[in-house]
Amino acid sequence: MDVRPYIGRFAPSPSGHLHFGSLIAAVASYCDAKSNQGTWLVRIENLDPPREVKGSADDILRTLEGFGLFWDNAVQYQSQRHHLYDSALQKLKASGMTFGCACSRKDLASVGGLDFYPGTCRNGIPHEKEGKSVRFQVSKSNIENIKWNDLVQGNQNVLKSSLGDFILRRSDGYYAYHLAVVVDDADQGVTNIVRGADLMDSSPRHLLLQEALNLGSPLYAHIPLAYNIMKDKLSKLTNASPIQIEDAPNQIQDALKFLGQLDVEIDLPEKMLSQAIDQWDVSKIPKSSRTHWT
Ligand code: GLU
């Protein structure tokens, strides 16, 4: 049995302010870690400079502090960890599990291959073209059925053949989220990942990479998403309003309610969170995503 001490994390991308959707992921991962006497890390996922909003990493950290969500150890920034992603990529290349790909988004869209890679460059790049991105060749994995027991969503079973070959390094040279997140979680010793259900689809890819790189797999818990009244996921893209430190007690109370936890009285954020940790019960988190009225 795995007896490693619990290490959890919150891994925001600095592409805007924290909103209620990110708050529930932060609160859930924090309370789950602390109720297991665990460590809670914060990692800024600034892998994608073109999409980074200046000042947002600092803004996110100040907001977390204002909400009483204090992390352990130093904050890690993905922009400073490229050497780790490169060595993982070299390892996968050396074991023959990758291939270069010359397809642009436009090429893929024209053959309906944006969601499922049609295999165009798998057996070689058309001559006159250059393989600028690197993909993981899913069929080379030893796993056929990707199974995991999600601590909120229950038993999952995804067929390898339902996944297209996915990008590890983009044509602009940046590393892809799937590669970086797997490398970082393993390098930081993360044992438990609590995050939004929008990343459920990513987890089978992460499990394949963990196996290919000979890393252990953490436990996963995918929490429900909060939608706005238009049924869009609350996100920076749907202009979800930023959470305000002045309103932290109400927002924390709402977040815990959304997560199906017992009520906590309005108080200082740290006190509310400490009560929430004492009462925390992961089995009470509802599976389904739903509207949150702000
Ligand atoms: N950086 C991702 C996001 O902000 C989260 C990644 C993760 O939790 O695995 O959506």
Side-chain angles (χ1 to χ4, degrees):
M1 223 185 106
D2 198 347
V3 286
R4 286 190 298 160
Y6 186 121
I7 301 181
R9 52 48 157 203
F10 176 57
S13 306
S15 50
H17 305 285
L18 289 184
H19 48 79
F20 185 76
S22 23
L23 179 67
I24 51 181
V27 166
S29 59
Y30 177 83
C31 290
D32 202 56
K34 294 297 163 186
S35 68
N36 284 286
Q37 292 74 48
T39 301
W40 187 66
L41 307 175
V42 171
R43 183 173 69 233
I44 298 289
E45 301 214 313
N46 56 349
L47 261 192
D48 192 352
R51 288 187 53 201
E52 187 166 341
V53 172
K54 211 168 169 270
S56 102
D58 285 345
D59 175 77
I60 288 172
L61 296 175
R62 295 297 78 79
T63 307
L64 288 174
E65 288 175 329
F67 274 71
L69 294 157
F70 296 103
W71 54 89
D72 300 302
N73 306 348
V75 174
Q76 296 289 322
Y77 292 81
Q78 287 189 323
S79 56
Q80 290 163 16
R81 301 169 63 83
H82 287 185
H83 56 289
L84 296 174
Y85 314 141
D86 187 55
S87 74
L89 189 62
Q90 296 316 324
K91 223 167 160 180
L92 294 170
K93 273 189 183 166
S95 48
M97 304 192 87
T98 66
F99 63 91
C101 176
C103 300
S104 62
R105 283 184 69 79
K106 210 165 132 207
D107 295 334
L108 293 174
S110 69
V111 293
L114 274 183
D115 290 332
F116 188 92
Y117 180 70
T120 321
C121 299
R122 198 181 293 140
N123 298 313
I125 294 160
H127 66 273
E128 97 273 2
K129 287 205 166 173
E130 206 187 332
K132 286 193 173 160
S133 58
V134 180
R135 288 182 185 267
F136 181 72
Q137 188 162 342
V138 170
S139 61
K140 294 261 174 96
S141 164
N142 295 321
I143 309 180
E144 287 307 322
N145 286 345
I146 308 154
K147 294 184 183 169
W148 81 97
N149 181 12
D150 192 279
L151 297 183
V152 173
Q153 305 293 335
N155 282 329
Q156 307 294 315
N157 190 351
V158 176
L159 274 182
K160 180 171 78 173
S161 56
S162 69
L163 305 173
D165 297 331
F166 53 91
I167 300 253
L168 298 172
R169 205 184 60 216
R170 301 171 2 180
S171 59
D172 55 12
Y174 293 121
Y175 295 96
Y177 158 69
H178 296 314
L179 178 68
V181 80
V182 162
V183 168
D184 284 337
D185 286 330
D187 180 69
Q188 296 185 275
V190 169
T191 57
N192 291 66
I193 294 181
V194 179
R195 63 183 177 193
D198 51 335
L199 292 164
M200 250 332 243
D201 285 354
S202 297
S203 296
R205 295 172 179 84
H206 300 172
L207 288 156
L208 289 183
L209 286 179
Q210 285 150 4
E211 202 270 340
L213 288 164
N214 213 2
L215 307 168
S217 292
L219 294 173
Y220 288 95
H222 287 91
I223 61 167
L225 302 180
Y227 296 134
N228 63 20
I229 40 172
M230 306 297 288
K231 288 255 184 271
D232 299 314
K233 175 188 107 156
L234 292 184
S235 73
K236 293 140 198 165
L237 285 179
T238 57
N239 288 326
S241 27
I243 47 170
Q244 307 292 345
I245 292 176
E246 306 77 73
D247 198 26
N250 288 320
Q251 297 277 355
I252 291 173
Q253 199 178 46
D254 276 5
L256 291 166
K257 212 175 271 176
F258 190 89
L259 291 165
Q261 304 301 303
L262 292 177
D263 253 353
V264 294
E265 271 169 48
I266 293 286
D267 203 327
L268 295 172
E270 290 91 318
K271 289 204 173 152
M272 295 177 75
L273 289 170
S274 134
Q275 197 189 332
I277 292 163
D278 290 344
Q279 307 176 160
W280 183 252
D281 183 352
V282 75
S283 72
K284 287 208 173 94
I285 302 178
K287 286 187 184 177
S288 343
S289 299
R290 59 204 188 281
T291 307
H292 173 73
W293 309 91
T294 43

